[in-house]
């Protein structure tokens, strides 16, 4: 009507950003004691876990009910956290004439060694795996020897230490626990490595470090550094759950806390 002022519509509210809301929720959750986010559909569990890890500097342990759920969540988690670690369960008791899979033991040991190398990070495990024996953190740290390219490491001393640590000296390295020496070239297969390494010395200086294929003996890729384990990690063991620190964040997925 004449003289009547037109009505103004209130500005439309912007739709909420689901990603930002999820990050805000994660920021609130990581500050709580014994946080619980429930329910979370399986397809979103890895995303929620990644958001939790993003909002904290603490190490995050994601504990899944079983190995199948662990593998599925870990594979999804790699989309957001490619540096996440997978801690496999050790094999169950096998017949007397069967040997445990050395690859599983190496993968498990390698993951623990990486936990020593850097604080924080995300680890995906199971309750059964956390209850199985593992080398004590302090003991594993004592066994580590770091080799770095262009750094000095007395060649003859390293050869002697490998022998004293129980490595077998052979002509050609093919299995874990062996080493070979050809002049200034040292091949060694540490028990936690996926592949053996070939270390070339110039005097007592590490000139290059390369992974190589134990079957073809051909180099795979060059490394800037590597760690060797000089000794038996099984000498001092306890449950793997002892690696969970008091400040670590434990996220359980459809199971009880370890």
């Amino acid at each position: 009507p004449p003289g009547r002022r037109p009505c103004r519509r209130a500005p439309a509210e912007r739709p909420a950003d689901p990603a930002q809301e999820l990050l805000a929720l994660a920021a609130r959750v990581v500050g709580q004691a014994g946080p619980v986010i429930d329910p979370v559909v399986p397809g979103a569990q890895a995303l929620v876990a990644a958001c939790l890890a993003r909002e904290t500097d603490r190490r995050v342990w994601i504990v899944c009910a079983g190995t199948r759920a662990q593998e599925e969540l870990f594979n999804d988690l790699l989309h957001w956290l490619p540096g996440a670690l997978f801690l496999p369960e050790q094999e169950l008791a096998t017949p007397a004439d069967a040997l445990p899979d050395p690859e599983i033991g190496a993968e498990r040991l390698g993951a623990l060694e990486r936990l020593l190398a850097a604080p924080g990070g995300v680890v995906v495990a199971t309750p059964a795996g956390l209850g199985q024996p593992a080398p004590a953190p302090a003991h594993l740290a004592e066994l580590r020897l770091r080799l770095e390219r262009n750094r000095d490491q007395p060649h003859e001393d390293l050869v002697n230490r490998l022998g004293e640590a129980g490595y077998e000296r052979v002509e050609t390295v093919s299995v874990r626990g062996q080493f070979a020496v050809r002049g200034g070239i040292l091949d060694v297969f540490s028990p936690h490595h996926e592949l053996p390494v070939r270390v070339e010395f110039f005097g007592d200086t590490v000139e290059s470090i390369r992974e190589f294929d134990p079957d073809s003996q051909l180099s795979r890729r060059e490394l800037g550094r590597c760690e060797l384990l000089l000794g038996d990690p099984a000498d001092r063991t306890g449950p793997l759950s002892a690696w969970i620190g008091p400040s670590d964040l434990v996220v359980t997925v459809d199971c009880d806390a370890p």
Side-chain angles (χ1 to χ4, degrees):
R4 187 172 179 179
R5 300 178 64 183
C7 297
R8 292 186 177 180
R9 292 184 179 181
E13 294 185 2
R14 285 187 174 184
D17 183 342
Q20 293 301 322
E21 287 192 342
L22 185 54
L23 288 173
L25 173 61
R28 294 195 301 271
V29 166
V30 295
Q32 300 176 9
V36 175
I37 302 178
D38 185 58
V40 179
V41 297
Q45 290 170 349
L47 176 58
V48 172
C51 290
L52 290 173
R54 174 174 170 172
E55 293 301 320
T56 181
D57 293 329
R58 295 184 285 168
R59 177 167 291 155
V60 178
W61 297 79
I62 304 174
V63 186
C64 302
T67 55
R68 181 175 179 180
Q70 178 193 19
E71 291 171 356
E72 291 177 350
L73 189 142
F74 177 75
N75 289 331
D76 290 342
L77 189 64
L78 291 178
H79 294 294
W80 295 283
L81 297 173
L85 294 179
F86 183 89
L87 267 176
E89 293 181 10
Q90 290 179 340
E91 289 186 312
L92 299 175
T94 55
D97 59 345
L99 296 175
D101 186 349
E103 299 302 324
I104 293 178
E107 182 181 3
R108 188 175 168 92
L109 197 55
L112 295 179
E113 197 279 329
R114 287 176 61 187
L115 290 180
L116 285 177
V122 177
V123 188
V124 185
T126 64
L130 291 173
Q132 292 172 334
H139 177 54
L140 192 61
E142 292 171 358
L143 302 181
R144 295 171 75 232
L145 173 67
R146 170 170 287 192
L147 301 178
E148 292 191 51
R149 193 171 52 193
N150 300 324
R151 293 290 183 90
D152 287 345
Q153 171 62 56
H155 177 265
E156 195 62 34
D157 176 67
L158 177 56
V159 170
N160 292 334
R161 292 177 67 181
L162 288 169
E164 293 168 357
Y167 283 77
E168 178 189 8
R169 185 165 183 168
V170 295
E171 291 294 323
T172 302
V173 168
S174 59
V175 297
R176 293 180 178 87
Q178 293 181 337
F179 75 100
V181 181
R182 298 182 304 282
I185 299 176
L186 170 68
D187 291 352
V188 58
F189 204 161
S190 188
H192 70 297
H193 283 169
E194 181 181 354
L195 293 171
V197 294
R198 179 164 292 146
V199 186
E200 294 191 31
F201 286 84
F202 182 76
D204 284 334
T205 301
V206 176
E207 195 168 53
S208 71
I209 306 172
R210 291 170 292 167
E211 288 181 333
F212 68 92
D213 187 313
D215 295 323
S216 67
Q217 296 291 303
L218 297 177
S219 298
R220 286 284 191 87
R221 63 174 179 139
E222 192 158 346
L223 306 174
R225 63 180 181 271
C226 74
E227 282 76 23
L228 304 179
L229 296 182
L230 301 184
D232 186 357
D235 280 348
R236 285 163 46 196
T237 63
L240 198 153
S241 57
W243 283 71
I244 301 176
S247 63
D248 292 356
L249 178 65
V250 178
V251 179
T252 58
V253 181
D254 299 328
C255 63
D256 296 328

